[in-house]
Amino acid sequence: MRYSGFRVMKEGFFGQKGWKPAWRDPDPKPEYDAVIIGGGGHGLATAYYLAKEHGLTNVAVLEKGYIGGGNVGRNTTIVRANYFLPGNSEFYSHSLKLWEGMEQDLNYNVMHSQRGLINLFHSDGQRDAFARRGNAMINQGDDAILLDTDGVRKILPYLDFENGRFPIYGGLYHPRGGTARHDAVAWGYARGADQRGVDIIQNCEVTGIDIEGGVVKGVQTTRGAIKARKVGIVVAGRSGQVAQMAGMRLPIESHVLQAFVTEGLKPVIDHVVSFGMGHFYISQSDKGGLVFGGDLDFYSSYAARGNLPMKEHVMDAAMTLMPMIGKARVLRSWGGIMDMTPDGSPIIDKTGTEGLFLDCGWCYGGFKAVPGSGFSFAHLMATGRHHEPAAGFRLDRFRDGVGLMDEEGTGSQHNLH
Ligand SMILES: Cc1cc2nc3c(=O)[nH]c(=O)nc-3n(C[C@H](O)[C@H](O)[C@H](O)COP(=O)(O)OP(=O)(O)OC[C@H]3O[C@@H](n4cnc5c(N)ncnc54)[C@H](O)[C@@H]3O)c2cc1C
């Protein structure tokens, strides 16, 4: 079924009786050409591009819960291509281009809004670092504008410019950055994959990975054994646990990251704004809620909920940057499990087991990567070759130290990235 304005009107006239479920609810088949473990954004996008770009349609996505229940539906929805290091820069640039065509491609409204992202800086040193980053972005073909204090004041008049401790020196403006409705991205890819024949199987937890003579043979699940020639592990915060089923110990720690939303307000923040002296970033959703987040909770956990000290830290930063936020009431907060690598950059690679592939380590920045990761991982699974923009995301960089991509320059400590 194609979605269109005409269809919405027609259904309006005829009692909304013609809509069909966005994807089927099939039982698992005994065998597939490829199985994707994890129905988050990355898993669903991988299945979609396997079918669309490589004609591989005998594919199943196995999701232990429901589509959109993981990090893909828990993030603060920021989409950007403002990375600095070679390896990351071209990957996120490619991903943003896929975002820009996503709604037409999927025939699904993911509410992608390129409202512009502004990273604030508060010292001469930070200005230099952002100027370099902006130049790298422009060299990559993306957009970046360095604003001075007045430039920021014009766009974001509500910030506290008189703050003695953290004066605002300017900001790096990325006009093509923005937000999207996160769970709609999962639904759009699920629908697109389903239309091409992919089976999306919810409430189906993978409990084991079958390997014989170094070759993957399939998976064990709560709904029975499923044979597969290729298996992709795309389970974000659970990557360490699922990889262990194949005897792998990954360079990944799982940490909690929280987010917050206020009551709905009239439009007040029309960009994405990120504080440079504390971990705090904010945008306003189409429903009017101020959506914001901060840093990791700084301890490893598989609990998708956070703790009070980080809440206090984030609220502190919010009040420092924009005291007006003190009038808004926070309605909800939640947490997600982040798959942190030692250099803060992801992994898209084969494993030591033939037919077994790995896509993980997206840390707290994997929402914007959904289309790029799905595209590149599908390419790797289908062809056995790395897709060029993602060629740096190899697993062995953590063994030999060659090609590490420490975007934040914080060293090899998971919780500092
Ligand atoms: C609070 C918060 C804010 C964030 N903000 C941003 C942001 O602004 N911008 C940005 O780019 N990124 C952001 N991120 C990061 C981003 O959301 C993640 O990196 C990304 O969503 C992870 O990929 P995914 O969507 O595939 O993960 P998930 O949606 O978590 O998908 C993994 C799926 O695997 C399933 N699974 C696990 N184990 C099994 C199993 N054994 N069998 C079957 N299925 C299994 C899980 O149930 C889950 O649905 C944020 C994350 C959080 C938590």
Side-chain angles (χ1 to χ4, degrees):
M1 170 188 268
R2 271 198 73 73
Y3 295 154
S4 65
F6 173 73
R7 183 96 218 180
V8 171
M9 267 176 15
K10 188 173 160 203
E11 291 302 328
F13 283 124
F14 294 101
Q16 312 287 355
K17 296 206 176 90
W19 299 116
K20 296 206 179 76
W23 58 86
R24 296 163 295 129
D25 184 21
D27 286 325
K29 292 194 274 193
E31 190 164 354
Y32 289 93
D33 291 334
V35 156
I36 307 293
I37 311 176
H42 293 244
L44 292 163
T46 302
Y48 174 76
Y49 290 116
L50 274 175
K52 181 179 175 230
E53 300 293 323
H54 305 280
L56 226 79
T57 54
N58 186 23
V59 174
V61 177
L62 309 180
E63 165 54 47
K64 78 170 177 178
Y66 60 93
I67 300 301
N71 291 338
V72 71
R74 291 168 178 266
N75 57 67
T76 42
T77 79
I78 301 171
V79 174
R80 57 187 164 93
N82 61 350
Y83 279 68
F84 175 63
L85 291 184
N88 279 332
S89 187
E90 55 269 44
F91 172 81
Y92 288 100
S93 184
H94 177 240
S95 196
L96 185 55
K97 289 189 185 99
L98 291 173
W99 273 104
E100 286 168 340
M102 185 187 289
E103 294 181 340
Q104 286 72 23
D105 189 22
L106 298 177
N107 176 228
Y108 203 88
N109 181 8
V110 301
M111 296 161 88
H112 183 210
S113 155
Q114 293 185 292
R115 58 187 67 181
L117 161 75
I118 298 163
N119 285 106
L120 299 169
F121 47 81
H122 311 264
S123 68
D124 289 335
Q126 270 194 329
R127 180 194 289 116
D128 288 351
F130 275 119
R132 283 186 78 197
R133 179 176 292 268
N135 287 335
M137 290 159 65
I138 290 166
N139 284 340
Q140 179 55 47
D142 294 314
D143 59 336
I145 300 166
L146 200 66
L147 301 174
D148 59 11
T149 310
D150 283 343
V152 175
R153 203 190 295 268
K154 239 182 246 161
I155 309 181
L156 312 173
Y158 49 81
L159 299 182
D160 181 4
F161 287 87
E162 312 313 324
N163 190 302
R165 194 158 173 220
F166 304 123
I168 296 170
Y169 277 38
L172 184 63
Y173 180 31
H174 174 35
R176 282 165 65 226
T179 59
R181 175 160 176 190
H182 46 193
D183 35 18
V185 174
W187 301 334
Y189 274 115
R191 176 171 171 270
D194 174 89
Q195 281 173 341
R196 287 172 165 78
V198 171
D199 284 355
I200 300 193
I201 302 166
Q202 303 182 79
N203 300 311
C204 180
E205 179 171 357
V206 170
T207 52
I209 298 179
D210 298 331
I211 299 168
E212 279 171 34
V215 181
V216 78
K217 296 290 173 190
V219 292
Q220 298 292 325
T221 79
T222 45
R223 294 174 69 175
I226 301 175
K227 288 190 187 145
R229 287 192 300 113
K230 295 181 182 182
V231 174
I233 302 176
V234 203
V235 291
R238 300 279 174 180
S239 297
Q241 291 176 327
V242 175
Q244 211 166 28
M245 297 175 193
M248 285 189 284
R249 184 154 180 261
L250 297 182
I252 287 201
E253 280 182 16
S254 290
H255 288 254
V256 184
L257 178 68
Q258 302 189 58
F260 309 86
V261 67
T262 69
E263 61 196 330
L265 302 169
K266 285 185 179 171
V268 54
I269 295 180
D270 50 5
H271 295 81
V272 183
V273 184
S274 150
F275 187 24
M277 290 307 285
H279 234 99
F280 172 71
Y281 37 88
I282 186 164
S283 66
Q284 187 165 15
S285 79
D286 293 307
K287 279 195 290 183
L290 304 182
V291 180
F292 57 98
D295 210 344
L296 298 172
D297 267 32
F298 298 131
Y299 54 87
S300 320
S301 172
Y302 287 113
R305 62 170 185 274
N307 253 315
L308 285 173
M310 188 48 70
K311 289 189 172 55
E312 193 175 12
H313 181 88
V314 172
M315 304 300 162
D316 267 2
M319 287 299 289
T320 305
L321 187 63
M322 45 179 80
M324 69 168 188
I325 203 173
K327 293 187 179 162
R329 277 170 295 199
V330 174
L331 283 192
R332 283 181 290 124
S333 70
W334 61 91
I337 314 165
M338 315 304 352
D339 36 337
M340 303 300 295
T341 59
D343 65 356
S345 292
I347 298 164
I348 297 185
D349 209 348
K350 300 175 191 174
T351 67
T353 300
E354 200 184 314
L356 184 64
F357 301 83
L358 192 59
D359 180 315
C360 61
W362 294 97
C363 304
Y364 43 69
F367 179 59
K368 68 181 105 56
V370 162
S373 158
F375 195 97
S376 294
F377 195 45
H379 185 278
L380 179 68
M381 285 187 71
T383 66
R385 285 177 282 109
H386 285 271
H387 183 230
E388 206 39 54
F393 297 157
R394 290 172 193 261
L395 185 54
D396 61 10
R397 72 184 191 274
F398 299 107
R399 192 180 52 223
D400 54 31
V402 178
L404 289 176
M405 281 180 267
D406 182 1
E407 184 77 28
E408 305 286 327
T410 44
S412 61
Q413 206 176 323
H414 299 82
N415 61 0
L416 292 183
H417 288 285

